[in-house]
């Protein structure tokens, strides 16, 4: 049975579009605009996908080149490290403005976040120590090491790499810069989430320029631990009035921790398996993100490697470089709008023939250059 003939793993929550929260700080976008080499990433319209899926317009936010890296993660890493160093300087002022000798920025990663932290550390004259779980391609590991980071490969899943990184960050002059939160570790992940708000603000401006001033009808966001999804929920659920966008999270079927948590109504973890969507291969949602995902997401869907691989190839044919994690957004949209039960899923998302959809393609093909795209 092909992906187009089956009912995908799915959960919908009525009433999410009525939920509201506080917005992200406005100064985040100003900070990014002042960084060397920063420009907004493209928002590309793909009419053939709109025709295929029976909706009005489809746009892809192409994060294949963000601050010189092939993924959106530099937005969160740069803002969080800026806040970390500013806090340290305030605690212990020094002649160089950093407050202390160089600090070691420690993190765990499935690839893109760790490279972004390492790049930020190198740019600012700091050190980086990155823990990488099993399943990350050697070329992605080598890209982190090329940023002059110390790399420790962990013979276990992502959650184990996070645990090891947290232990290492207890050393003197080390600080954890992790993009997932747990009880007692929430401030830095919150800064990372704030950093991602720039992406959403850019989408607003770009849609307005394309004749969509009221914003999208649906945003599809790939989910690992849920930090980007938290930023997306914050952006669209902090608007005081106007039409609210539907928000759909997309995960691998082998690591659908958000989908299961939503289904059970409580934050839970899942064992993870192999997937070409390496950056989404996370077993536990961020505790910081969870309340936003629980209350602000309209729906969650899980996709297969085959669906992601097809989306990678189709986006490439349309001129958009996307890795398996970024292309998961398209795979999720297809899973939601086609196959058994599609009519009910369209209704849950409030989609009709004139609806505008934004896909967040969170990484380019270069983010995972050795990933095979023949998974099923």
């Amino acid at each position: 049975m092909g992906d187009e003939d089956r009912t995908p793993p799915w959960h919908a929550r009525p009433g999410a579009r009525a939920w509201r929260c506080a917005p992200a700080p406005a100064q985040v976008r100003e900070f990014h605009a002042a960084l060397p080499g920063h420009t907004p990433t493209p928002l590309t319209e793909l009419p053939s996908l709109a025709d295929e899926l029976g909706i009005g317009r489809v746009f892809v936010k192409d994060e294949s080149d963000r601050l010189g890296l092939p993924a959106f993660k530099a937005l969160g890493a740069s803002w969080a490290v800026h806040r970390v160093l500013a806090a340290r300087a305030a605690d212990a002022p020094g002649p160089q403005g950093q407050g202390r000798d160089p600090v070691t920025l420690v993190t765990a990663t499935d690839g893109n976040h760790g490279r972004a932290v390492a790049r930020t550390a190198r740019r600012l004259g700091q050190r980086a120590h990155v823990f990488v779980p099993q399943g990350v391609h050697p070329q992605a590991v080598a890209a982190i090491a090329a940023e002059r980071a110390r790399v420790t490969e962990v013979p276990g899943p992502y959650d184990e790499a996070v645990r090891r990184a947290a232990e290492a960050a207890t050393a003197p002059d080390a600080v954890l810069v992790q993009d997932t939160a747990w009880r007692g570790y929430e401030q830095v992940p919150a800064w990372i989430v704030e950093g991602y708000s720039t992406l959403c603000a850019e989408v607003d401006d770009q849609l307005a320029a394309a004749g969509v001033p009221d914003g999208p009808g649906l945003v599809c966001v790939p989910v690992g631990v849920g930090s980007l999804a938290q930023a997306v929920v914050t952006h669209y659920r902090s608007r005081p009035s106007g039409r609210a966008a539907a928000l759909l999270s997309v995960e691998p079927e082998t690591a659908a921790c958000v989908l299961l948590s939503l289904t059970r109504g409580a934050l839970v973890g899942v064992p993870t398996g192999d997937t070409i969507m390496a950056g989404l291969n996370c077993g536990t949602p961020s505790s910081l993100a969870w309340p936003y995902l629980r209350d602000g997401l309209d729906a969650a869907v899980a996709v297969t490697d085959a669906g992601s691989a097809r989306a990678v190839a189709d986006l490439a044919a349309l001129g958009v470089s996307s890795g398996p994690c970024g292309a998961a957004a398209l795979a999720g949209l297809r899973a939601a709008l086609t196959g058994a039960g599609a009519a009910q899923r369209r209704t849950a998302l409030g989609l009709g023939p004139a609806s505008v959809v934004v896909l967040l393609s969170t990484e380019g093909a270069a983010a995972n250059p050795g990933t095979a795209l023949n998974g099923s």
Side-chain angles (χ1 to χ4, degrees), residues 198-225:
T198 292
L199 185 158
C200 300
E202 290 177 2
V203 170
D204 283 349
D205 291 348
Q206 292 166 325
L207 283 178
V212 190
D214 294 332
L218 172 67
V219 178
C220 299
V221 54
V223 171
V225 298

Side-chain angles (χ1 to χ4, degrees), residues 1-365:
M1 179 184 294
D3 277 6
E4 67 277 6
D5 301 318
R6 62 198 289 268
T7 301
W10 164 269
H11 178 82
R13 177 185 175 273
R17 269 161 274 177
W19 185 72
R20 291 295 179 267
C21 62
Q27 64 266 34
V28 177
R29 192 176 186 188
E30 298 171 3
F31 166 80
H32 286 133
L35 292 178
H38 180 265
T39 57
T41 56
L43 184 73
T44 303
E45 185 169 9
L46 300 177
S48 63
L49 292 182
D51 292 342
E52 172 196 332
L53 296 168
I55 49 182
R57 302 175 76 177
V58 173
F59 295 85
V60 178
K61 183 62 167 167
D62 179 358
E63 292 291 314
S64 61
D65 184 5
R66 174 69 79 170
L67 286 166
L69 294 176
F72 76 103
K73 292 284 190 176
L75 291 172
S78 60
W79 175 249
V81 171
H82 165 72
R83 294 299 305 268
V84 164
L85 296 181
R88 290 174 65 84
D91 288 342
Q96 300 304 314
Q98 300 293 353
R100 299 178 181 177
D101 291 334
V103 65
T104 299
L105 307 174
V106 184
T107 195
T109 187
D110 278 321
N112 294 326
H113 171 69
R115 187 176 177 188
V117 170
R119 171 70 64 88
T120 302
R122 186 176 71 165
R123 179 174 62 85
L124 297 176
Q126 309 297 319
R127 298 182 293 263
H129 185 183
V130 181
F131 288 77
V132 180
Q134 64 186 13
V136 176
H137 194 276
Q139 290 185 42
V141 177
I144 298 170
E147 303 291 347
R148 302 177 189 168
R150 176 185 174 190
V151 177
T152 298
E153 297 187 58
V154 176
Y158 174 80
D159 286 358
E160 175 63 14
V162 171
R163 187 189 67 80
R164 292 277 303 276
E167 288 180 351
T170 61
D173 291 322
V175 61
L176 188 65
V177 185
Q178 196 59 58
D179 56 347
T180 188
W182 53 87
R183 186 181 297 275
Y185 181 73
E186 295 171 329
Q187 181 60 81
V188 174
W191 287 333
I192 290 173
V193 171
E194 289 177 356
Y196 298 153
S197 65
T198 292
L199 185 158
C200 300
E202 290 177 2
V203 170
D204 283 349
D205 291 348
Q206 292 166 325
L207 283 178
V212 190
D214 294 332
L218 172 67
V219 178
C220 299
V221 54
V223 171
V225 298
S227 293
L228 175 61
Q230 180 186 349
V232 170
V233 169
T234 298
H235 183 77
Y236 289 100
R237 299 294 181 248
S238 60
R239 296 179 171 182
S241 62
R243 184 187 65 190
L247 306 177
L248 173 66
S249 69
V250 185
E251 300 169 281
E253 287 192 2
T254 54
C257 58
V258 170
L259 175 61
L260 182 61
S261 295
L262 292 172
T263 301
R264 294 189 177 179
L267 192 155
V268 297
V270 300
T272 57
D274 294 333
T275 174
I276 62 172
M277 292 169 275
L280 308 182
N281 196 21
C282 305
T284 306
S286 167
S287 65
L288 188 68
W290 167 241
Y292 292 80
L293 308 184
R294 178 195 63 209
D295 296 335
L297 285 175
D298 291 82
V301 69
V303 299
T304 64
D305 278 8
S308 173
R310 177 191 170 200
V312 168
D314 290 347
L315 288 172
L318 295 170
V320 176
S321 172
S322 185
C325 297
L330 173 56
L333 180 65
R334 282 172 164 161
L337 301 191
T338 62
Q344 294 92 326
R345 293 191 292 275
R346 284 177 185 257
T347 298
L349 295 171
L351 295 184
S355 295
V356 175
V357 175
V358 171
L359 307 175
L360 302 185
S361 178
T362 51
E363 65 174 11

